[in-house]
Amino acid sequence: MREKVHRHLGKVLTGAALAAAGTAAMVAVTLPGTAGADDSGGPGGGMRAARQAGQGPDAAPPGVVEQAPAEGKQGTGRDPLTDDEIRRVEKLAVAGRLSATARDVEGDRGPQRLSVDLAEPEAAEADDPRAPRRADVTYYDYKNDTLVTRTVNLKTGKVEQTDAQRGVQPPPSRAENAEAARILIADPLGAGLKADYKDATGKELTSPDQLQLSGGIYEASPGAQPAVLDACGEHRCVRLFSKVRNGPWIDTRDLVIDLSARKAAALDRS
């Protein structure tokens, strides 16, 4: 089975491979230690030791951490959306028929939220400092594979515009990456991932919470994949980049999870 699914598993990917996969670089931070300190007790050694211990006349004062300024409930102009505004527009945008009929990535009632962004002002309002602030709230409805964007006026609380598109696939959300991993773990094609996780940790892989995940949208290109993935692009399909928490990467790039059909497939290598 492990050869059948074309695993490159149990290895740390090189920097070039990670860049090609679109994964973020990991930056190591080295904390200052006591290398070079004089532990001999000779002249000046005691003072140096005292300074290292936070004592003596040359000791640096303790750091002071200032609290972040309180965030207002309402922003102004082109300020980023506040947490309060985001919570409010999420409730406003999903109200009504969309909440009742749409389905999220797990099949539960209500659409899958993807993003909340400050909307661009209308052309006639571009130079008006009093122009109303609006937010674009984007959802994916897994019931009919539709991307829904609702524009909410933050002052009036009204949904001013609803845009629905099919065949448009923004990057997956964290919840969608987790659900893709859950589907893969339960699928026979996930046997290699689970085996390599156990090799790396000595533990069984049973949950997406045990992995660090990022993902990218996969869209079908004729003749470049098995027929089971031909709907990707109309369906919402994800390729995962999987990492053991505090451990190595596990290569799952040859596997595609169709979140709409809730199935996994391996890409052809020929």
Side-chain angles (χ1 to χ4, degrees):
M1 174 60 71
R2 295 173 70 176
E3 289 73 23
K4 182 177 179 181
V5 298
H6 309 298
R7 294 190 301 113
H8 296 275
L9 306 165
K11 65 180 181 181
V12 179
L13 300 184
T14 65
L18 291 180
T23 54
M26 306 292 288
V27 180
V29 179
T30 302
L31 298 177
T34 57
D38 184 355
D39 296 328
S40 65
M47 183 59 70
R48 280 190 289 272
R51 286 198 295 268
Q52 290 164 7
Q55 302 171 2
D58 296 333
V64 177
V65 179
E66 295 183 359
Q67 291 186 344
E71 185 181 60
K73 291 187 177 182
Q74 300 294 328
T76 58
R78 301 300 298 164
D79 290 344
L81 294 170
T82 66
D83 290 344
D84 185 76
E85 287 176 322
I86 291 173
R87 286 190 292 266
R88 181 166 173 255
V89 298
E90 284 178 343
K91 292 179 181 178
L92 293 168
V94 79
R97 187 170 179 270
L98 183 64
S99 176
T101 61
R103 293 296 179 266
D104 67 13
V105 68
E106 298 180 22
D108 295 331
R109 179 175 171 176
Q112 181 65 48
R113 182 177 66 82
L114 300 184
S115 62
V116 182
D117 301 296
L118 186 68
E120 292 294 329
E122 296 181 359
E125 301 170 343
D127 298 323
D128 185 355
R130 297 172 298 175
R133 282 163 60 83
R134 300 179 179 89
D136 288 333
V137 188
T138 304
Y139 298 96
Y140 197 83
D141 182 359
Y142 277 89
K143 184 175 181 179
N144 54 19
D145 281 300
T146 301
L147 183 72
V148 179
T149 301
R150 286 190 161 179
T151 303
V152 181
N153 186 310
L154 288 160
K155 182 177 181 179
T156 65
K158 293 182 178 180
V159 176
E160 295 184 341
Q161 183 176 341
T162 298
D163 181 44
Q165 298 173 284
R166 302 196 69 182
V168 178
Q169 300 292 347
S173 65
R174 182 179 301 179
E176 289 175 309
N177 287 335
E179 189 62 19
R182 187 174 289 110
I183 293 170
L184 181 58
I185 290 169
D187 192 276
L189 285 174
L193 170 64
K194 291 189 288 187
D196 285 341
Y197 183 89
K198 189 169 185 178
D199 287 345
T201 67
K203 300 177 181 179
E204 299 292 339
L205 176 61
T206 59
S207 169
D209 295 337
Q210 296 168 263
L211 299 168
Q212 288 180 296
L213 299 165
S214 57
I217 290 296
Y218 176 84
E219 296 189 356
S221 50
Q225 71 282 315
V228 70
L229 296 177
D230 284 348
C232 289
E234 178 184 349
H235 284 187
R236 194 151 171 78
C237 299
V238 172
R239 295 175 73 183
L240 286 176
F241 309 106
S242 310
K243 185 179 185 297
V244 177
R245 288 192 177 275
N246 302 314
W249 292 89
I250 300 178
D251 193 349
T252 52
R253 291 172 297 168
D254 286 346
L255 303 176
V256 176
I257 299 90
D258 184 334
L259 289 171
S260 301
R262 301 188 66 80
K263 295 180 179 179
L267 294 173
D268 288 339
R269 286 191 152 198
S270 56

